[in-house]
Every structure is written in C-alpha cells, then in structure tokens.
C-alpha cells in the first residue's frame, strides 16, 4: 500500500464530503509540493477519448422504481444518498458499496461513486418528480486533487466518469456534487433515506424527521421483484453454483491443510470475484461440529474425512443482487447412515415449505410448514419429552432447540432484504407473485448436547434454496444445485472426476 498524500486543494468536492475526503493522516505524505513539481505533473497529458455508453439494462427498471416511490410521496423532495467511504484501519477504507436503496433507484451498482446523491425533486404544478443524480465528476489535471488526494484522486483510486458518461449510462440527469448545496438553499422539506453515512445526511439537510418513512416505503416496494431483478438473482445463483463446484474440487486440498475451512472459503471467494463483484456476505465454511454454529465465519478449522461441511455462501453480481445458498456436503463424498438420516429430514422440511408457497399465503406459514416436519422427526427419534403436536403449540416449541433460526428471509440487494418493511408486510404479510426469498431449514446437534444420542452430536445440516413466487406457485432458482442425499453424492463424484 503506497504512502498517503494530502493537499488543501480538493477541487470539485463540497462541504463535509471534502472534509472527509481529506481527513487522512499527513505524517507519511511524500508528495512534492513545490511549484516546479506541480507545473511538471500537470503538463504533458494526452486527451482522453470518452465515447458515451449505451444505456445499461438496469436503467429501465430503476426508472420504474423511481416512479413507484414518487407516487407514494407527491410534492415532497426525496433524497437518497449512496453513502461514503468508511475507514477500515487508519488510512485505509473498506471497499465501497452504495446504499441498496440508492442502487434500486439509479441502477448504479458496483461501479457507483462514493458520496453520490439521488434527488427526486417535485415537479412544479404537476405530478411526479424530476430525478437528478449528483456525484463528484472528474477534477481534471489542472488541479492537485488528481495526484495529491489519496482518498479520491485519480492517481490513487483511478479516474472518475464524466457527467455525460454517467447520464448516458444510467439514463439520468447528472450534475456535479458541488451543485448539491444549491438544492437545499430554499430550506424546503425533504425526506432522506437514513442508514447512509451520517455526515452525508447532515450535509444534505439539518432536519430529517421522516427519513425512516422513506426507507420503510422503499423496503416495502423492494419486497416484489420485477423480471430484471429476478434475472439478476438468477445470475448470482448460477455463479454461486459454480463456486460450489470449485469448493468440491478443492476439498482434497482442504483436508490436507490445518485450516481447511479457509481453503474452502478461498475457493468460493475466488469464484465470487471472477464471476461477480464479491461475496454477498461473509462465507460460512463450517466443518464438523462448527456446522452447529449458525453464523460460523471464523473458518479456521480443519476439514476432516468422515465429517460434514456446511457451506453457506452467495455471489453478489455487479448489479449488487446476491444469492444465498447452503449445501451440506459429506467430505468423504458419502453420507454415513446417521448423517443421511439428518440430512434427509432437513430436506423433507425444505420440500414441505416449498410445497405451500403460492400467492395469497402468509409469509410465516412457510416457516410453520418446515417446523412441522422438524417437530415430527425429532419426536420420532425420541428427542422430545412431549409429542410433536404438543411441541408445535406456541407455548412449547421444544423442537426449536435444534433449529432456533427462521426458515425464510427476503433476498435481493441485501442478503436479508427489505429489513425496514413493517411486520404486516414482511413476517405477517401476504406472499405475492415476484417475491424472492430463501427456504433454509436445518438441524444442529451441538457436540456437547446431552439431550441427544452421542451419534448425533456434532452433526449440523442446513439446506438453503432461493425461490421466486410465480402466479400459481414458486420456482426454485437454485434447483439445479443437487439437493437430495443421493444427488449430492453423485455431484461430488462427478466434480472430482473432472
């Protein structure tokens, strides 16, 4: 990592954005500041050809999304920031990922510029809003920013696109971020999405009493995906399937390494970066008894023959839509009798949940269908001190000892999508055509659980698929990834034979 350089000249930044962009340690700066150097580095640059791109496929869906939120808030200025860079350690930042509501309304995904802001301005004397995207355009070589500002300078992070380029790409009016202050000069009311960088919001408006209202409405709009969004999730699922193939191919290497879970994580991460933007969330590569920890992301354990490995992973594509898939694999390639029994019980629960999905049911009924199977199987195995019917009563739920999480969550621009939606629209909401969510039951018998037979201890199984609700049922977007115990064993043989 090169030393930082800073300067007082941050052309084409504004307000607190500029302050944050310069807020970097200066004690390691080695960039010359002499007038001779400045004159030398600013001269001798060729003109760049910047042909305008065709409008991207995300532009039309984003325009429809803007129209939908506009209709909910007539006459009110709507402000949706992309958010800014966040410090990881001292003078290094986390990779930038724009706020999902910003991406939903602009179509600007992994290539979005930090600190950008979408403003939907009410049309005077009419209905609807005019959409304008404000972002930091290129500074030009006549400033010192391009070589001396390590946060945003071109020498450090690469060139920024022109206003004309972004306007053509996204089908949106684009203006320089420096003009944003003028938008708020009238002191008019505005709804600002909360959850973006706090300093960006403060710079936009001093009062934002109803920002959560806008975030809520956007979350509820995002509950139903259009055809373009479903296709993006499908692309993420397909890339994830290739990542699972990569993991199976590398299992021999994983078993040979003392931290084999890291080998598994690395194999999947490589595919995520090759075929997408990144992973959609921290990969869970949980081998042996680690599979009983629901969010095991340390991934520092061994991968041993005879154990199971639970891989919960998803590729995020460049549009920022993500998959979320779990498969539990026998490391040797073959399930033991006990492992197969647990695995097939979990699959039965997943199938029961999938079977009831259709428009008109209540979302939480999906979970209830899976739990009925889990209760009956754990009772059948003698694990419950009461009957399955008794355990299924709301004041009992003893079978949940071995599955404490929910069965489903919405999926899209966030792995747990639409989190700001009201409960009446989410958990207690009616399932509608176009909704995309997971089905992911599991059974987790921890290694020190004395309530289960010793043969079950240390076995953790989860099967997770991503589905889309259709007009009369549902389609499993990840159905091509083997699911039954027999299919998984055949899949592993086929990949290892390549």
């Amino acid at each position: 990592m090169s030393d930082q350089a800073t300067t007082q000249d941050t052309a084409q930044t504004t307000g607190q954005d500029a302050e944050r962009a310069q807020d970097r340690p200066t004690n390691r700066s080695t960039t010359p500041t002499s007038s001779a150097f400045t004159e030398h580095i600013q001269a001798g640059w060729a003109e760049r050809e910047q042909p305008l791109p065709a409008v991207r496929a995300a532009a039309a869906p984003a325009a429809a999304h803007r129209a939908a939120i506009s209709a909910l808030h007539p006459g009110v200025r709507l402000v949706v920031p992309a958010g800014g860079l966040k410090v990881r350690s001292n003078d290094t930042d986390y990779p930038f990922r724009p706020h999902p509501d910003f991406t939903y309304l602009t179509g600007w995904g992994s290539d979005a510029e930090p600190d950008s802001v979408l403003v939907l301005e009410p049309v005077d004397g009419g209905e609807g809003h005019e959409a304008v995207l404000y972002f930091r355009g290129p500074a030009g070589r006549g400033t010192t920013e391009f070589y001396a500002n390590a946060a945003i300078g071109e020498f450090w992070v690469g060139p920024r696109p022109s206003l004309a380029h972004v306007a053509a790409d996204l089908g949106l009016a684009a203006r320089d971020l420096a003009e944003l202050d003028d938008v708020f000069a009238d002191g008019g009311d505005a709804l600002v999405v909360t959850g973006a960088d706090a300093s960006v919001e403060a710079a936009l408006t001093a009062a934002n009493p109803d920002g959560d209202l806008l975030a809520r409405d956007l979350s509820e709009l995002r509950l139903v995906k259009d055809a373009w969004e479903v296709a993006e999730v499908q692309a993420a699922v397909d890339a994830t399937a290739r990542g699972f193939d990569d993991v199976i191919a590398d299992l021999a290497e994983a078993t040979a390494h003392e931290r084999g879970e890291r080998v598994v994580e690395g194999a999947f991460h490589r595919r995520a970066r090759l075929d997408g933007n990144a992973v959609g969330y921290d990969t869970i590569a949980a081998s042996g008894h680690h599979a009983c920890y629901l969010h095991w992301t340390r991934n520092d354990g061994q991968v041993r023959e005879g154990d199971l490995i639970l891989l919960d992973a998803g590729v995020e594509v460049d549009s920022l839509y993500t998959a979320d898939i779990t498969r539990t694999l026998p490391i040797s390639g073959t399930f033991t009798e006990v492992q197969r029994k647990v695995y097939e019980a979990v699959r039965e629960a997943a199938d029961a949940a999938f079977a009831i999905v259709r428009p008109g049911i209540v979302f939480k009924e999906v979970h209830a269908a899976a739990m009925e199977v889990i209760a009956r199987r754990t009772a059948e195995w003698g694990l419950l001190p009461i009957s399955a019917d008794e355990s299924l009563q709301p004041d009992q739920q003893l079978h949940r000892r071995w599955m404490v999480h929910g069965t489903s969550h919405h999926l899209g621009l966030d792995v747990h999508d639409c989190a700001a939606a009201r409960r009446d629209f989410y958990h207690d909401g009616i399932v509608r055509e176009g909704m995309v969510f997971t089905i992911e039951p599991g059974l987790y018998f921890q290694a020190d659980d004395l309530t289960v037979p010793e043969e079950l201890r240390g076995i953790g199984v989860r099967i997770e698929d991503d589905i889309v609700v259709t007009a009369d049922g549902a389609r499993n977007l990840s159905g091509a990834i083997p699911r039954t115990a027999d299919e998984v064993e055949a899949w592993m043989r086929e990949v290892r034979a390549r």
Side-chain angles (χ1 to χ4, degrees):
M1 173 75 65
S2 301
D3 285 347
Q4 290 281 24
T6 59
T7 178
Q8 292 302 308
D9 181 357
T10 53
Q12 310 215 25
T13 62
T14 183
Q16 294 187 18
D17 297 331
E19 294 175 12
R20 186 174 63 258
Q22 291 189 170
D23 187 17
R24 295 292 189 270
T26 59
N27 60 332
R28 295 196 291 113
S29 175
T30 59
T31 301
T33 58
S34 67
S35 59
F37 174 79
T38 299
E39 181 179 351
H40 180 63
I41 198 170
Q42 290 180 338
W45 300 102
E47 290 293 324
R48 286 184 176 142
E49 291 187 11
Q50 294 185 321
L52 297 183
V55 65
R56 67 176 62 184
H65 302 160
R66 293 194 297 272
I69 196 63
S70 171
L72 292 177
H73 296 280
V76 180
R77 176 184 292 146
L78 306 178
V79 182
V80 184
L85 295 168
K86 291 179 171 57
V87 175
R88 179 184 184 273
S89 176
N90 195 14
D91 56 354
T92 60
D93 296 315
Y94 287 103
F96 176 66
R97 188 182 191 274
H99 192 288
D101 286 333
F102 174 86
T103 295
Y104 180 73
L105 296 175
T106 64
W108 217 1
S110 63
D111 55 340
E113 287 293 322
D115 300 318
S116 301
V117 180
L118 176 69
V119 177
L120 299 181
E121 193 71 29
V123 176
D124 290 338
E127 297 182 354
H129 290 75
E130 177 189 8
V132 181
L133 178 63
Y134 294 85
F135 74 98
R136 190 180 292 112
R141 267 65 176 270
T143 71
T144 58
E145 183 216 89
F146 85 98
Y147 71 87
N149 190 309
I152 60 175
E154 178 178 323
F155 257 32
W156 297 86
V157 298
R160 297 192 293 272
S162 69
L163 298 178
H165 184 282
V166 171
D169 189 10
L170 300 179
L172 267 172
R175 298 176 190 164
D176 196 272
L177 190 61
E179 299 180 36
L180 185 61
D181 289 340
D182 296 337
V183 174
F184 299 96
D186 62 5
D189 292 336
L191 294 182
V192 184
V193 167
T194 57
D197 188 270
S199 61
V200 174
E201 291 181 9
L204 295 173
T205 180
N208 179 30
D210 296 317
D212 288 338
L213 175 65
L214 180 55
R216 182 202 74 186
D217 289 347
L218 285 166
S219 268
E220 289 171 2
L221 286 175
R222 286 167 50 194
L223 284 167
V224 174
K225 272 62 177 177
D226 56 41
W228 180 83
E229 291 179 284
V230 173
E232 289 301 297
V233 176
Q234 183 68 71
V237 168
D238 294 345
T240 299
R242 294 188 289 274
F244 277 43
D245 282 353
D246 294 343
V247 166
I248 293 172
D250 281 358
L251 277 180
E253 180 182 351
T255 59
H257 198 284
E258 63 180 356
R259 293 203 290 185
E261 290 174 346
R262 295 279 171 92
V263 176
V264 170
E265 178 186 357
F268 188 84
H269 185 266
R270 181 175 184 269
R271 176 59 60 184
R273 291 292 282 165
L274 287 173
D275 289 6
N277 175 52
V279 290
Y281 53 96
D282 288 344
T283 296
I284 298 169
S287 183
H289 73 277
H290 288 167
C292 300
Y293 304 132
L294 305 181
H295 285 174
W296 176 263
T297 56
R298 277 187 234 167
N299 299 340
D300 60 358
Q302 289 185 291
V303 175
R304 298 183 178 91
E305 291 280 342
D307 283 346
L308 301 175
I309 183 165
L310 186 157
L311 178 61
D312 186 335
V315 172
E316 174 187 272
V317 292
D318 286 325
S319 63
L320 303 186
Y321 286 82
T322 187
D324 181 7
I325 309 295
T326 306
R327 289 295 185 266
T328 306
L329 310 172
I331 295 164
S332 67
T334 304
F335 290 100
T336 68
E337 182 179 349
V338 173
Q339 291 169 349
R340 176 181 281 265
K341 178 177 77 170
V342 176
Y343 184 93
E344 287 292 88
V346 172
R347 184 180 66 83
E348 182 186 355
D351 290 349
F354 181 82
I356 74 160
V357 177
R358 64 185 183 280
I361 68 166
V362 178
F363 184 70
K364 63 185 178 184
E365 292 178 40
V366 180
H367 174 71
M371 287 303 94
E372 183 170 345
V373 174
I374 295 298
R376 299 205 180 283
R377 287 290 170 251
T378 52
E380 177 186 298
W381 299 340
L383 306 185
L384 294 178
I386 56 179
S387 71
D389 287 338
E390 290 172 311
S391 188
L392 285 165
Q393 296 303 308
D395 63 345
Q396 295 296 318
Q397 299 289 300
L398 303 190
H399 56 283
R400 294 293 302 279
R401 176 187 178 104
W402 303 291
M403 185 185 154
V404 297
H405 63 81
T407 300
S408 298
H409 59 79
H410 284 268
L411 182 70
L413 284 166
D414 283 318
V415 67
H416 285 207
D417 211 22
C418 313
R422 287 168 287 185
R423 187 176 183 89
D424 285 349
F425 285 72
Y426 199 124
H427 292 287
D428 297 332
I430 301 300
V431 169
R432 290 181 283 166
E433 182 179 1
M435 285 184 167
V436 175
F437 52 82
T438 66
I439 293 179
E440 51 174 314
L443 280 169
Y444 313 92
F445 302 111
Q446 294 199 19
D448 56 354
D449 187 348
L450 300 181
T451 69
V452 302
E454 186 174 358
E455 64 178 5
L456 290 177
R457 295 174 197 166
I459 294 178
V461 172
R462 181 163 64 252
I463 302 171
E464 180 178 19
D465 287 288
D466 302 340
I467 72 161
V468 59
V469 182
T470 62
D472 57 359
R475 176 163 56 91
N476 189 347
L477 299 173
S478 49
I481 304 175
R483 296 180 71 256
T484 71
D486 287 344
E487 289 170 348
V488 167
E489 290 177 348
W491 174 32
M492 297 184 71
R493 288 194 298 271
E494 190 273 329
V495 171
R496 286 171 163 174
R498 291 176 186 170

